[in-house]
Amino acid sequence: MKSIAISGSVRQNVGKRDAKELRYEGNIPAVLYGGKEQTHLSVSAADLKSALYTADVVFIELDIDGKKTRAIVQEAQFHPLTDQVTHVDFLELFDDKEVTVNIPVTLTGTSPGVKMGGKLVQKLRNLRVKALPNNLPQTIEVPMDGLEVGKSYRVRQVEVKDAKVLNNSDDTIVSVIMSRALRQAEQEAAKQAKGGKK
């Protein structure tokens, strides 16, 4: 699992005016929870970029005024117009405490159905996984090798070592459907086969 180091400072004042000033200075108000008590802090917006603008799950080595903590971003709030980060929730990690995290899905191999002209439809790009921090997978691989036209790969087929996938087991992750071009080609072939029988 990737990890990045971020430095933060404990916030003395927790209010809207204080938060506004922080953002003006290029910092983001944040809260760290999951431990014995919540900590209100501020972190640099620039430091956060590599943790937020990625599909990967990133462990964060938080240094809050010299006190080191391992965490993940549990939630980030963005400004509706500017898309700037306005607030971040960090969840403190403990080696013996399970966490639930969205893990990205990676499609591997080539689908024979797509080679035949079928259309690939990916319905889930992330799966909710519960595990101890050190057992969290970086990605969930879904093999495409057996996907013919009309076939799909469901959550129940996913195998993750030492972790539990929380999505509904019947949910489809990816499927290969008949594309319009393939359907037309099959109809043409059927017409010609009928025409040849006369």
Side-chain angles (χ1 to χ4, degrees):
M1 196 67 76
K2 291 179 185 170
S3 69
I4 58 169
I6 291 179
S7 296
S9 307
V10 174
R11 286 171 67 190
Q12 305 307 330
N13 307 314
V14 182
K16 280 190 174 174
R17 184 184 289 172
D18 179 59
K20 204 171 180 180
E21 274 178 29
L22 279 174
R23 290 186 200 109
Y24 185 72
E25 293 162 5
N27 294 312
I28 306 295
V31 65
L32 170 71
Y33 64 94
K36 287 193 179 92
E37 57 198 34
Q38 282 192 2
T39 306
H40 291 272
L41 65 145
S42 67
V43 291
S44 156
D47 287 353
L48 269 176
K49 276 185 179 160
S50 50
L52 294 180
Y53 300 103
T54 173
D56 297 329
V57 177
V58 181
F59 284 156
I60 292 160
E61 306 296 338
L62 259 183
D63 183 333
I64 307 168
D65 297 332
K67 182 175 177 266
K68 289 189 166 45
T69 305
R70 194 161 69 131
I72 53 170
V73 172
Q74 187 69 24
E75 192 184 351
Q77 291 161 15
F78 296 86
H79 190 283
L81 298 176
T82 62
D83 228 17
Q84 297 289 94
V85 185
T86 55
H87 191 275
V88 174
D89 287 353
F90 292 109
L91 176 65
E92 190 171 348
L93 298 177
F94 299 93
D95 289 343
D96 58 352
K97 199 169 165 185
E98 288 187 324
V99 287
T100 301
V101 180
N102 281 330
I103 303 286
V105 169
T106 304
L107 305 180
T108 62
T110 309
S111 154
V114 171
K115 275 187 181 168
M116 298 247 327
K119 187 179 173 195
L120 188 73
V121 179
Q122 188 174 353
K123 298 209 170 144
L124 294 175
R125 299 197 176 275
N126 294 291
L127 292 177
R128 287 186 73 68
V129 174
K130 187 176 185 179
L132 294 172
N134 293 333
N135 292 339
L136 284 169
Q138 185 72 51
T139 180
I140 291 173
E141 293 193 351
V142 170
M144 302 297 294
D145 311 351
L147 273 191
E148 303 281 354
V149 174
K151 296 273 187 255
S152 48
Y153 196 96
R154 298 185 190 278
V155 170
R156 74 170 85 89
Q157 294 169 264
V158 171
E159 288 175 25
V160 189
K161 193 172 178 276
D162 300 325
K164 187 179 180 194
V165 178
L166 300 179
N167 298 63
N168 186 328
S169 64
D170 283 339
D171 285 356
T172 299
I173 299 172
V174 63
S175 56
V176 178
I177 61 170
M178 177 89 69
S179 66
R180 196 176 294 157
L182 185 58
R183 190 175 295 126
Q184 283 173 342
E186 286 198 352
Q187 284 168 353
E188 287 298 318
K191 272 184 202 166
Q192 285 177 351
K194 273 185 187 167
K197 281 178 186 167
K198 283 178 186 174

